[in-house]
């Protein structure tokens, strides 16, 4: 593991790991929270239904108290109940001992002998139930029992459900009372009001039953507002009526759903923060890497510059000393020494100018003095200046100039600096291929100047960086040649200041062509 990877790992562990652990715990607790919220909410719903069931029981007990009112006879009480409650279709009073039935019906019902027979049939299987209810009554508890298996009879309205209870008449004779109710009516009249009261705009409460076995959805008999069987709901048996159920569901979003969506939102926010932190770390690492790289480039630059300065300086010093001591035998040798001193001091000037220019650019203090000129003339002059340099390096540089005049608006000194850098590079990186081509031409409204070498060339990936300050290609050949990595960044800056550009075309081992493009001034178009 490299140092860098280890540092990266450490940063990740310190910053992201706690967030990830927190996110993980959140995801796990999300489910538990939901379960808890759901359980609590269902308990609340159950409590609402429980209170309704109790209310229904209370209402039935009220009837029973009316029935047992000793001020009137039992039959009078039965009649009163039937007159006062339209939902009671029929009440059967069966003498416990004699098993004689008296049947009382509401005025919208008419019965016949058949009715007595059917009632008798129902009682046939009820001995044990009636005995048990009697025992309860003896013990002081009047239990109201749903008549679960009451089969609807034709003489009554079709919607029938029953309850049964034991009761003493005014002469203390034990009777069983069987109430046959119209279920929908009873629910509407007795339960409906109470259901509306506790609905609170918070729940929808409904009563329904399954008419037939295997019926998928219940038939809704009453609802406080529109009840949807497709949404979540809680249900419970209505104690007092067989096969009848109470349903409840929240209006709008349930508490559980609210918790669910809130926890989800929190989780997404958390994941988003993790994501942002990761991006932050990525940017930070990239930044650090760049800073380290620039620091490395700068230190390389310092050693390169020192090296570049030291060589010509020691040459100048050595030749000057030899000349001063008068140890040079012939005039010809003297001339050679002077020329070397001149050449090396020229190199030093070039180098120092480059560095000064660079520092001016960095400080935003580089200024240009533009003037109308002709690119052909400028290139011709520079070519002349370099002739000695070419000979010295055994380079054969061919100049081919455009036939047309190339009017441009340039800082002639800056242009000289740019082209000199390109020519110097072409010579430096020619790799023994001594042929260079210098040319001027017009292309798409630009006056261009190209320098082509057949040297080491530059790979595509390196081409992206050669114009960066301090950058030098990392190859054995480049490292062997002297350089500061400033030349091309200067060229680029100069060209941008002229609204022009510098273009490189190159292939490793096949040479490179650098082209400077200046916008042609109006004179050319006229
Ligand atoms: P240097 O002082 O190193 O020459 P430059 O900024 O002038 O700095 O060039 C940057 C790098 O681009 C050089 O180090 C070299 O690797 C590459 N380069 C520039 N010109 C040429 C060329 N004509 N042929 C091959 N490589 C070149």
């Amino acid at each position: 593991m490299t140092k860098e990877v280890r540092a990266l790992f450490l940063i990740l562990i310190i910053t992201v790991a706690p967030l990830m652990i927190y996110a993980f715990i959140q995801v796990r607790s999300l489910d538990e929270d939901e379960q808890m919220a759901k359980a609590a909410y269902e308990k609340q719903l159950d409590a609402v239904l429980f209170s309704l069931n109790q209310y229904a029981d209370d209402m039935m007990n009220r009837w029973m108290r009316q029935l047992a009112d000793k001020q009137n006879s039992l039959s009078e009480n039965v009649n009163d109940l039937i007159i006062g409650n339209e939902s009671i279709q029929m009440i059967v009073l069966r003498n416990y001992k004699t098993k004689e039935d008296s049947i009382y019906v509401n005025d919208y019902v008419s019965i016949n002998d058949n009715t007595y027979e059917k009632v008798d049939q129902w009682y046939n299987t009820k001995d044990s139930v009636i005995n048990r209810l009697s025992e309860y009554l003896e013990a002081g508890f009047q239990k109201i029992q749903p008549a679960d298996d009451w089969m609807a009879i034709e003489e009554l309205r079709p919607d029938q459900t029953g309850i049964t209870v034991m009761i003493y008449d005014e002469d203390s004779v034990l009777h069983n009372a069987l109430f046959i109710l119209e279920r929908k009516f009873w629910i509407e009249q007795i339960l409906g009001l109470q259901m509306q009261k506790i609905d609170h705009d918070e729940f929808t409460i409904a009563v329904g039953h399954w008419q037939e076995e295997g019926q998928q959805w219940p038939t809704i008999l009453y609802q406080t507002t529109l009840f949807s069987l497709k949404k979540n709901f809680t249900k419970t048996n209505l104690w007092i009526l067989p096969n009848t159920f109470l349903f409840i569901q929240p209006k709008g979003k349930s508490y559980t759903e609210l918790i669910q969506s809130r926890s989800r939102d929190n989780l997404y926010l958390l994941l988003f923060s993790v994501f942002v932190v990761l991006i932050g770390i990525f940017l930070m690492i990239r930044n650090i890497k760049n800073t380290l790289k620039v620091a490395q480039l700068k230190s390389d630059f310092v050693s390169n510059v020192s090296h570049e300065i030291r060589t010509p300086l020691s040459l100048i010093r050595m030749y000057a000393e030899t000349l001063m001591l008068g140890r040079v035998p012939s005039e010809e040798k003297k001339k050679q020494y002077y020329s070397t001193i001149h050449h090396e001091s020229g190199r030093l000037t070039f180098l120092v100018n480059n560095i000064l220019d660079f520092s001016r650019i960095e400080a935003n203090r580089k200024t240009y003095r533009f003037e109308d000129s002709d690119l052909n003339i400028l290139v011709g002059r520079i070519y002349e200046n370099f002739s000695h340099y070419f000979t010295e390096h055994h380079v054969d540089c061919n100049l081919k100039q455009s036939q047309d005049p190339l009017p441009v608006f340039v800082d002639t000194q800056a242009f000289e600096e740019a082209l000199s850098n390109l020519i110097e590079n072409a010579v430096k990186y020619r790799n023994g291929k001594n042929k260079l081509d210098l040319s001027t031409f017009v292309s798409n409204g630009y006056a261009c100047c190209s320098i082509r070498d057949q040297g080491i060339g530059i790979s595509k990936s390196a081409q992206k960086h050669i114009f960066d300050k301090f950058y030098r290609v990392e190859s054995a050949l480049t490292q062997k040649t002297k350089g500061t990595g400033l030349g091309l960044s200067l060229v680029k800056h100069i060209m941008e200041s002229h609204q022009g550009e510098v273009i490189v075309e190159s292939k490793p081992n096949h040479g490179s062509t650098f082209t400077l493009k200046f916008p042609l001034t109006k004179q050319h178009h006229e």
Side-chain angles (χ1 to χ4, degrees):
M1 214 191 281
T2 66
K3 241 184 183 173
E4 228 172 71
V5 177
R6 223 178 303 151
L8 189 76
F9 238 76
L10 206 71
I11 292 173
L12 275 179
I13 287 173
I14 292 172
T15 51
V16 180
L19 281 174
M20 291 308 272
I21 291 172
Y22 181 62
F24 177 71
I25 292 172
Q26 272 278 312
V27 173
R28 284 199 43 188
S29 71
L30 190 68
D31 207 41
E32 285 168 22
D33 283 355
E34 275 169 26
Q35 296 288 343
M36 256 165 66
K38 206 168 165 191
Y41 194 63
E42 266 168 15
K43 258 191 198 138
Q44 193 193 346
L45 297 184
D46 280 342
V48 172
L49 296 186
F50 185 84
S51 79
L52 262 176
N53 251 326
Q54 267 190 332
Y55 180 80
D57 265 15
D58 284 350
M59 295 316 281
M60 282 299 185
N61 282 324
R62 194 178 289 177
W63 279 3
M64 295 314 140
R65 278 199 298 280
Q66 256 178 281
L67 205 62
D69 184 358
K70 287 287 178 314
Q71 284 177 358
N72 306 311
S73 68
L74 181 60
S75 59
E76 274 172 343
N77 288 341
V78 168
N79 267 326
D80 284 352
L81 262 178
I82 285 186
I83 291 165
N85 295 286
E86 239 180 307
S87 61
I88 304 176
Q89 299 203 52
M90 172 173 91
I91 296 178
V92 180
L93 281 181
R94 163 166 283 223
N95 188 308
Y96 179 68
K97 273 226 172 77
T98 61
K99 301 210 164 145
E100 255 173 54
D101 296 329
S102 327
I103 297 185
Y104 303 78
V105 291
N106 222 317
D107 50 12
Y108 56 83
V109 175
S110 57
I111 52 164
N112 49 39
D113 291 346
N114 227 351
T115 320
Y116 282 89
E117 222 167 276
K118 281 173 192 158
V119 167
D120 199 48
Q121 266 171 25
W122 184 79
Y123 273 114
N124 272 345
T125 56
K126 292 293 167 297
D127 282 352
S128 65
V129 176
I130 286 177
N131 284 337
R132 204 175 60 241
L133 291 179
S134 311
E135 278 164 24
Y136 282 138
L137 191 68
E138 291 301 318
F141 166 53
Q142 188 181 35
K143 182 170 164 50
I144 303 169
Q145 167 94 22
D148 328 45
D149 54 354
W150 171 261
M151 303 283 273
I153 59 171
E154 285 160 23
E155 297 82 73
L156 307 184
R157 284 189 180 165
D159 179 19
Q160 298 164 32
T161 186
I163 55 164
T164 180
V165 68
M166 298 309 291
I167 189 143
Y168 287 107
D169 70 5
E170 60 281 11
D171 303 319
S172 300
V173 178
L174 187 59
H175 283 81
N176 172 264
L178 170 66
F179 285 63
I180 301 301
L181 310 171
E182 181 166 12
R183 185 187 341 231
K184 195 167 164 27
F185 221 19
W186 183 83
I187 291 163
E188 272 172 15
Q189 288 194 330
I190 311 287
L191 268 192
L193 224 89
Q194 186 66 9
M195 282 161 69
Q196 293 287 1
K197 246 193 241 166
I198 53 178
D199 150 320
H200 282 320
D201 260 356
E202 228 182 290
F203 316 108
T204 296
I205 310 172
V207 182
H209 75 141
W210 274 265
Q211 273 169 322
E212 288 155 33
E213 238 172 87
Q215 182 183 334
Q216 196 192 358
W217 301 111
T219 310
I220 298 297
L221 300 169
Y222 184 84
Q223 52 194 346
T224 53
T225 48
L226 199 66
F227 183 82
S228 163
L229 288 161
K230 285 187 190 114
K231 271 172 52 183
N232 267 352
F233 59 79
T234 301
K235 84 172 196 310
T236 190
N237 253 322
L238 185 60
W239 303 331
I240 209 75
L241 294 188
N243 301 324
T244 311
F245 293 87
L246 288 167
F247 300 94
I248 187 164
Q249 75 187 173
K251 271 185 193 163
K253 264 194 174 174
S254 75
Y255 185 56
T256 328
E257 282 165 340
L258 282 177
I259 286 209
Q260 227 171 32
S261 73
R262 207 177 146 165
S263 314
R264 287 250 146 97
D265 287 353
N266 280 348
L267 187 68
Y268 289 145
L269 207 72
L270 189 75
L271 289 179
F272 178 71
S273 333
V274 171
F275 180 67
V276 170
V277 169
L278 281 177
I279 289 184
I281 290 174
F282 170 74
L283 291 179
M284 194 177 79
I285 288 171
R286 217 176 57 166
N287 216 342
I288 292 174
K289 260 177 137 179
N290 278 346
T291 317
L292 285 177
K293 206 165 150 195
V294 171
Q296 178 64 42
L297 285 175
K298 271 188 181 162
S299 103
D300 288 353
F301 167 76
V302 172
S303 75
N304 284 339
V305 168
S306 331
H307 185 74
E308 282 240 28
I309 291 177
R310 206 182 303 136
T311 322
L313 268 183
S314 54
L315 273 177
I316 292 171
R317 203 186 152 100
M318 191 176 82
Y319 284 120
E321 264 176 19
T322 320
L323 284 167
M324 265 164 53
L325 291 172
R327 285 195 190 145
V328 191
S330 65
E331 275 305 308
E332 201 185 327
K333 261 276 184 262
K334 269 188 194 168
K335 241 186 178 172
Q336 198 187 332
Y337 282 13
Y338 285 133
S339 149
T340 307
I341 290 173
H342 178 255
H343 172 73
E344 291 302 322
S345 57
R347 263 208 63 73
L348 271 180
T349 314
F350 179 77
L351 192 71
V352 171
N353 277 346
N354 257 359
I355 294 170
L356 281 179
D357 254 3
F358 172 75
S359 75
R360 272 191 214 114
I361 288 172
E362 285 288 283
N364 253 336
R365 274 194 291 109
K366 169 108 180 138
T367 50
Y368 292 92
R369 262 186 290 136
F370 296 101
E371 55 187 300
D372 282 314
S373 189
D374 188 290
L375 202 68
N376 274 330
I377 297 171
L378 293 177
V379 172
R381 202 187 297 154
I382 295 167
Y383 180 73
E384 283 293 307
N385 290 348
F386 266 89
S387 62
H388 181 72
Y389 184 79
F390 290 141
T391 330
E392 198 180 346
H393 289 85
H394 313 290
V395 168
D396 170 19
C397 183
N398 175 41
L399 173 68
K400 192 173 158 232
Q401 282 181 299
S402 156
Q403 296 303 314
D404 300 324
L406 299 176
V408 283
F409 192 57
V410 293
D411 177 326
T412 48
Q413 211 183 331
F415 171 72
E416 193 175 324
E417 207 177 316
L419 188 56
S420 303
N421 265 300
L422 294 185
I423 295 175
E424 284 235 344
N425 279 349
V427 173
K428 271 200 299 192
Y429 304 111
R430 72 188 186 283
N431 195 22
K433 311 275 170 36
N434 291 333
K435 213 172 146 21
L436 299 185
D437 290 288
L438 183 59
S439 59
T440 59
F441 54 94
V442 173
S443 161
N444 288 332
Y446 282 91
C448 305
C449 163
S450 266
I451 171 89
R452 182 154 70 99
D453 65 64
Q454 295 165 3
I456 57 173
I458 309 160
S459 70
K460 270 258 166 307
S461 57
Q463 282 178 30
K464 284 185 214 144
H465 301 291
I466 53 174
F467 297 103
D468 296 346
K469 57 188 175 187
F470 307 129
Y471 181 85
R472 304 198 74 214
V473 175
E474 279 175 26
S475 79
L477 264 167
T478 313
Q479 303 305 323
K480 260 199 318 201
T481 44
K482 293 181 219 159
T484 56
L486 289 185
L488 288 183
S489 78
L490 282 179
V491 174
K492 186 169 174 230
H493 187 271
I494 291 170
M495 293 317 290
E496 279 168 1
S497 306
H498 282 79
Q499 266 80 49
E501 59 180 327
V502 49
I503 291 170
V504 59
E505 291 159 87
S506 184
K507 216 169 151 193
N509 300 322
H510 285 83
S512 320
T513 305
F514 282 85
T515 307
L516 302 177
K517 288 173 78 179
F518 293 90
L520 275 165
T521 52
K522 280 193 190 124
Q523 295 159 11
H524 181 82
H525 301 288
E526 280 160 6

